[in-house]
Amino acid sequence: MLTFPDKKEITKEEIEAALDFSSAQVIENLAIFTHAFQKAYSENGFYQPIPNNYWTTGFWTGEIWLAYEHTGDERLREAGEIQIDSFLERIDKKIEVDHHDMGFLYSPSCVAGYKLVGSKKGREAAIKAADQLISRFHPVGEFIQAWGTMDAPENYRLIIDCLLNLPLLYWASEETGDDKYKTIADKHIHTALANVIREDYSTWHTFFFDSVTGAPHHGATCQGYRDGSAWARGQAWGVYGTALAYKYTYREEYLPIFKNVCEYFLAHLPKDLVPYWDLEFTDGSDQPRDSSSASIAACGMLEMAKYLTDEDSAHYRTLARQIMKSVYDNYAVKDKKESNGLVLHSTYSNHSPYNTCNHYGVDECNSWGDYFYMEALTRLKKDWRLYW
Ligand code: GLY
């Protein structure tokens, strides 16, 4: 297993200082972002407000809840509850919910609000979101379709990111006593892990199936540099996603998958342990970084550390502390005049000659980068009851 013996670990005092600054930044932002949400990415370091109509809005509400956990400040609780009203309205009116990102939207906002302050509206909204998510399940291919209308063969694919949407289904089964959500999540995980992980444990971003037979067809990237490369965030979703898959299923075969997907991620990091946006690039490259991937992977390592032997667990905790030390030292915002976000140098969607995505949010803060930074710090500070 790869180790980085020359790298320092984030200290208790730095974790506290980072959470203090982040929480103060979130509180300052409430003036604009209580009845509105952060745009997915900052522009020149600053987020603009948007309505609750994009796949990323749950991360901002998640930051509010994490700041509430850190400070106990009642202004945060009130703002979190106002945002839950908006999420309930969104799912009731089906505003921009015809995609698979119900977990990203409803776990850090509504499940979190239910777990932390017993929000009944949060519970109702999250169960409705789970119903929406399972409506995208294909029984023949045995997966949840990511994007687009359900009847078009060109949309018949899953994407690795979806592993983070599935905890919503396990939670919904536990809450309602109805196994239908969990059964679908189990099937999707099985199909996803059997197909998106390549032989060398790099990962496909997206994977297509034959819409008639359900047979695996081919992998392709959308946001990575090229089809055969490993998009950094896809690999990071793979690290955290397999840890969560193990948490909810306890299937032994997911343990080596976690370890190997993680090892691939670590082996392709530059010296400061924060990846470029695609793992194709390393030290010396002038390509942008994706700092969000570092925090996401650290969260996955800290989750998986709960289920491993003492030795393995210590190994992954050390790695997570080393990665977060670099994110804190080299990427985190330290002055509110510089940005109203938390972590700089993330990349949302970087167009390349070989991929199919648009170009935006490159080398900026992004909402999930900020959220997973706070989550990783909170996990390092205490035994955190996860929102996922
Ligand atoms: N789930 C989309 C992304 O990671 O950009």
Side-chain angles (χ1 to χ4, degrees):
M1 292 198 289
L2 265 174
T3 56
F4 303 97
D6 61 324
K7 297 292 174 200
K8 290 205 171 101
E9 298 177 33
I10 191 165
T11 64
K12 212 167 157 243
E13 292 71 31
E14 287 167 334
I15 292 166
E16 202 60 27
L19 280 170
D20 284 349
F21 178 85
S22 301
S23 300
Q25 191 82 319
V26 171
I27 289 170
E28 176 114 0
N29 278 334
L30 291 180
I32 298 176
F33 301 99
T34 292
H35 294 277
F37 292 78
Q38 278 181 340
K39 191 167 171 174
Y41 52 90
S42 64
E43 284 147 302
N44 298 317
F46 286 83
Y47 289 103
Q48 295 302 318
I50 58 164
N52 192 357
N53 65 3
Y54 200 58
W55 72 270
T56 54
T57 51
F59 297 118
W60 165 244
T61 314
E63 287 172 58
I64 292 177
W65 288 127
L66 289 169
Y68 177 63
E69 286 202 56
H70 183 61
T71 62
D73 189 316
E74 285 301 316
R75 288 172 295 178
L76 291 159
R77 178 188 172 139
E78 278 163 30
E81 299 212 43
I82 289 169
Q83 300 227 319
I84 285 178
D85 288 346
S86 165
F87 278 102
L88 181 56
E89 187 189 355
R90 178 168 174 178
I91 195 69
D92 277 339
K93 294 190 177 160
K94 297 256 165 54
I95 299 168
E96 298 293 332
V97 291
D98 284 329
H99 55 80
H100 70 153
D101 282 327
M102 295 304 109
F104 281 130
L105 283 169
Y106 283 84
S107 296
S109 58
C110 294
V111 175
Y114 175 59
K115 286 185 178 175
L116 286 175
V117 302
S119 167
K120 289 199 173 60
K121 285 184 185 171
R123 181 183 186 278
E124 180 189 345
I127 290 171
K128 287 176 173 167
D131 284 322
Q132 176 70 10
L133 182 53
I134 59 171
S135 74
R136 299 186 66 80
F137 182 66
H138 283 298
V140 177
E142 300 203 322
F143 68 91
I144 293 168
Q145 184 183 306
W147 304 314
T149 56
M150 295 293 285
D151 51 0
E154 67 272 20
N155 293 337
Y156 202 76
R157 68 169 155 182
L158 61 79
I159 75 171
I160 193 164
D161 323 27
C162 190
L163 293 171
L164 272 285
N165 287 320
L166 306 177
L168 179 70
L169 300 183
Y170 290 106
W171 170 84
S173 273
E174 218 173 276
E175 251 336 284
T176 61
D178 188 336
D179 270 358
K180 71 181 174 194
Y181 305 100
K182 173 186 175 316
T183 304
I184 286 177
D186 284 350
K187 286 185 178 166
H188 178 97
I189 290 173
H190 182 76
T191 308
L193 295 185
N195 292 287
V196 296
I197 319 275
R198 304 185 187 116
E199 261 180 35
D200 63 356
Y201 291 95
S202 65
T203 51
W204 289 108
H205 177 199
T206 88
F207 203 93
F208 287 91
F209 299 82
D210 183 298
S211 64
V212 178
T213 66
H217 201 272
H218 70 281
T221 201
C222 172
Q223 281 159 270
Y225 178 66
R226 62 180 174 88
D227 277 344
S229 69
W231 176 45
R233 199 159 53 258
Q235 196 77 19
W237 293 138
V239 172
Y240 199 176
T242 45
L244 290 168
Y246 185 75
K247 170 188 165 54
Y248 286 107
T249 64
Y250 286 105
R251 288 183 72 155
E252 290 297 310
E253 64 267 35
Y254 298 159
L255 286 171
I257 297 179
F258 167 83
K259 288 185 176 172
N260 288 312
V261 168
C262 196
E263 203 71 358
Y264 188 96
F265 182 80
L266 295 167
H268 291 81
L269 292 179
K271 285 200 179 61
D272 75 354
L273 305 183
V274 172
Y276 288 84
W277 70 284
D278 191 291
L279 301 183
E280 178 116 332
F281 308 110
T282 191
D283 285 311
S285 169
D286 59 1
Q287 294 282 325
R289 303 290 181 123
D290 178 33
S291 57
S292 75
S293 294
S295 299
I296 293 165
C299 288
M301 291 177 212
L302 291 169
E303 181 58 28
M304 200 62 174
K306 296 179 190 169
Y307 315 110
L308 301 173
T309 61
D310 287 353
E311 196 187 335
D312 281 359
S313 164
H315 168 72
Y316 287 109
R317 283 185 205 283
T318 299
L319 288 168
R321 282 195 291 260
Q322 290 172 321
I323 290 171
M324 293 315 294
K325 168 80 176 153
S326 181
V327 176
Y328 174 65
D329 279 353
N330 307 317
Y331 295 82
V333 174
K334 302 277 176 14
D335 176 353
K336 65 182 186 189
K337 291 204 256 350
E338 181 184 20
S339 167
N340 63 357
L342 305 182
V343 189
L344 304 165
H345 308 300
S346 265
T347 291
Y348 177 9
S349 190
N350 193 15
H351 186 63
S352 87
Y354 316 108
N355 73 18
T356 55
C357 68
N358 295 318
H359 192 83
Y360 35 51
V362 175
D363 198 21
E364 286 284 348
C365 300
N366 59 46
S367 209
W368 58 91
D370 290 357
Y371 168 80
F372 285 107
Y373 174 65
M374 285 189 81
E375 183 184 309
L377 295 166
T378 306
R379 282 176 174 276
L380 288 169
K381 180 183 156 172
K382 63 178 189 182
D383 187 12
W384 182 62
R385 186 180 178 209
L386 67 173
Y387 304 161
W388 306 99

